[in-house]
Amino acid sequence: MLVNNKHYRSIWIHPGDEHVIQVIDQRYLPFEFRVEDLKSVEDVFIAIRDMHLRGAPLIGAAASAGIYLSLLNLSPSDDPIEYLAQKAAYLKSARPTAVNLAAAIDRQLKALSGLSSREDMIFKALQEWERLVEDEVMNCRKIGEFALPLIEKISREKDGLPVNILTHCNAGWLACIDYGTATAPVYLAHEADIPVHAWVSETRPRLQGARLTCWELREQGVPYTLIADNAAGYLMQNKLVDIVLVGSDRTALNGDVANKIGTYMKAVAAKDNSVPFYVALPSSSIDWKIRTGKDIPIEERDENEVRFAEGMVRGRPSRVRIAPLHSMAYNPAFDITPAGLVTGLISERGICAASREGLTSLFPDLVSGKDTGY
Ligand code: MRU
């Protein structure tokens, strides 16, 4: 997508050095556009754990690159299989909820199985990383194309008045390499001159909505309004929201959805006010081995993310304390929205019900466990 009218993805290979992967350091947005060089598996681990980069599909792409970068340091004395298994376990421990992390690493290990020469493994790992990146970009584009008719229908019903879309966290191109998931139909509608307006939930404690989604929408010229997380229910009660679009970090086979903390409350409010609540996700964010949301690990992050807020103070990125000293704090980073509150899942193969039957209708090959290369 565009940044100062120049096309960017959120991860790419250094144009002058293919041993370096570059990412946008999202910690500094929207105040500073900073690019970070990732040169080792350790750089990737830290960038994922400390959220220099975040968002399920991007976490997967970074982890895939981490396996490639790790091979650059494989020495002749290392047993390649043991070495890779160790690096894979290390990378998988960076964050627990987004299933893309482990799935992308397993995809690399499968692609590398049977290879023994270091050169062959490096070549194959880079190729597999590039394939994954193109798959995720195409998945998001298709999600946008399948979801666009939902927006077009509302636009017709409103005689062309702006379609008010509420979103939570950042499920945009920053999180997904390009287009985004929840944002893809918004960008395609805007490109097609269908009037849209986004309600952007700030998304405490790390403010991915306020910092990242607002920045993305501004750069694309899409009208948006920032709201406090707690304002969403009030907006729905007052018929100010036509549709809710969010992403997912891990969706279970029964359609239960793990996403940024606060998503569940928006789903409850949407149900109570008959507002369609859609989850946009590539198949890489579906856990084909987990039956229900109860089995999805929920990350608990540092309590100081809750005790403090980050922002710009006198022109400098700063952190301010917002609670009395020594206040107890608790910081679950994700929650589970039960399938029953989800109007539909929007994937690269189309829209289906949030259920095993729905997923089977679009992904019979994956539900049955018959592997199709992911
Ligand atoms: O903690 P984060 O910022 O990685 O959480 C991200 C989200 O919850 C996104 O909504 C999700 O990863 C989907 S991105 C397409």
Side-chain angles (χ1 to χ4, degrees):
M1 298 301 281
L2 297 176
V3 179
N4 296 330
N5 289 318
K6 181 172 178 247
H7 183 260
Y8 274 90
R9 288 178 170 182
S10 54
I11 189 169
W12 62 94
I13 198 153
H14 190 295
D17 181 350
E18 68 172 23
H19 290 177
V20 177
I21 300 291
Q22 296 192 299
V23 295
I24 298 168
D25 191 333
Q26 300 183 24
R27 295 171 301 167
Y28 295 91
L29 290 174
F31 312 116
E32 195 185 333
F33 184 83
R34 198 184 279 197
V35 171
E36 179 179 0
D37 287 355
L38 304 176
K39 298 177 178 172
S40 67
V41 65
E42 290 76 20
D43 287 350
V44 172
F45 177 89
I46 292 165
I48 294 173
R49 182 196 65 195
D50 299 347
M51 298 180 67
H52 305 186
L53 58 96
R54 31 67 50 207
L58 179 62
I59 289 172
S64 177
I67 295 293
Y68 160 64
L69 292 171
S70 76
L71 289 166
L72 301 176
N73 296 318
L74 177 70
S75 73
S77 61
D78 290 322
D79 165 28
I81 294 173
E82 222 176 273
Y83 177 89
L84 275 176
Q86 192 266 330
K87 299 302 178 191
Y90 167 63
L91 269 176
K92 284 182 181 180
S93 70
R95 293 185 74 189
T97 305
V99 69
N100 298 63
L101 176 60
I105 292 168
D106 292 343
R107 177 173 169 165
Q108 274 285 23
L109 296 184
K110 183 165 172 268
L112 296 170
S113 62
L115 298 178
S116 54
S117 96
R118 179 175 175 279
E119 286 58 43
D120 290 354
M121 294 174 92
I122 290 172
F123 176 80
K124 186 66 183 174
L126 179 57
Q127 193 185 54
E128 193 60 30
W129 175 73
E130 288 167 339
R131 268 188 57 206
L132 181 145
V133 165
E134 294 315 319
D135 286 353
E136 291 297 9
V137 170
M138 184 52 70
N139 288 346
C140 287
R141 173 80 198 188
K142 288 185 179 155
I143 287 169
E145 290 165 2
F146 280 116
L148 185 56
L150 296 173
I151 295 178
E152 289 169 335
K153 179 172 177 289
I154 297 169
S155 182
R156 283 192 302 276
E157 288 162 359
K158 296 183 73 175
D159 297 327
L161 287 174
V163 176
N164 290 311
I165 300 150
L166 185 138
T167 193
H168 183 62
C169 193
N170 173 256
W173 70 271
L174 286 169
C176 306
I177 310 172
D178 209 346
Y179 296 106
T181 54
T183 56
V186 177
Y187 293 138
L188 294 187
H190 185 64
E191 266 172 39
D193 293 328
I194 298 169
V196 289
H197 162 262
W199 294 110
V200 180
S201 187
E202 61 182 342
T203 318
R204 277 277 297 161
R206 293 190 68 114
L207 301 173
Q208 289 92 329
R211 294 188 303 109
L212 306 176
T213 303
C214 289
W215 177 80
E216 279 196 24
L217 294 171
R218 191 197 63 185
E219 289 292 329
Q220 311 318 309
V222 176
Y224 68 90
T225 306
L226 175 62
I227 58 167
D229 290 326
N230 297 329
Y234 171 82
L235 267 67
M236 293 186 213
Q237 281 176 329
N238 289 279
K239 311 250 173 283
L240 296 170
V241 177
D242 297 307
I243 185 171
V244 179
L245 289 172
V246 297
S248 172
D249 288 84
R250 186 186 302 228
T251 289
L253 265 177
N254 74 334
D256 291 345
V257 171
N259 195 45
K260 183 50 58 188
I261 195 80
T263 304
Y264 168 60
M265 287 198 301
K266 288 181 171 61
V268 171
K271 187 82 173 180
D272 189 47
N273 294 285
S274 307
V275 175
F277 182 93
Y278 283 92
V279 175
L281 76 171
S283 53
S284 56
S285 297
I286 298 170
D287 189 329
W288 306 100
K289 302 188 191 71
I290 276 189
R291 276 180 340 95
T292 76
K294 288 191 189 61
D295 306 322
I296 297 178
I298 297 295
E299 180 182 13
E300 292 182 10
R301 294 187 63 85
D302 186 334
E303 293 88 2
N304 280 331
E305 292 183 356
V306 176
R307 294 191 188 100
F308 293 83
E310 297 192 358
M312 199 64 128
V313 177
R314 282 188 285 287
R316 297 174 59 76
S318 306
R319 201 168 79 131
V320 292
R321 182 161 55 81
I322 61 171
L325 269 180
H326 314 307
S327 294
M328 291 298 293
Y330 177 48
N331 187 17
F334 300 94
D335 59 24
I336 305 293
T337 296
L341 296 179
V342 178
T343 309
L345 300 174
I346 310 169
S347 76
E348 74 268 21
R349 292 189 189 175
I351 302 178
C352 67
S355 66
R356 188 183 181 103
E357 296 68 32
L359 288 170
T360 305
S361 70
L362 291 180
F363 299 96
D365 48 322
L366 296 177
V367 172
S368 67
K370 268 208 290 7
D371 189 345
T372 62
Y374 198 94

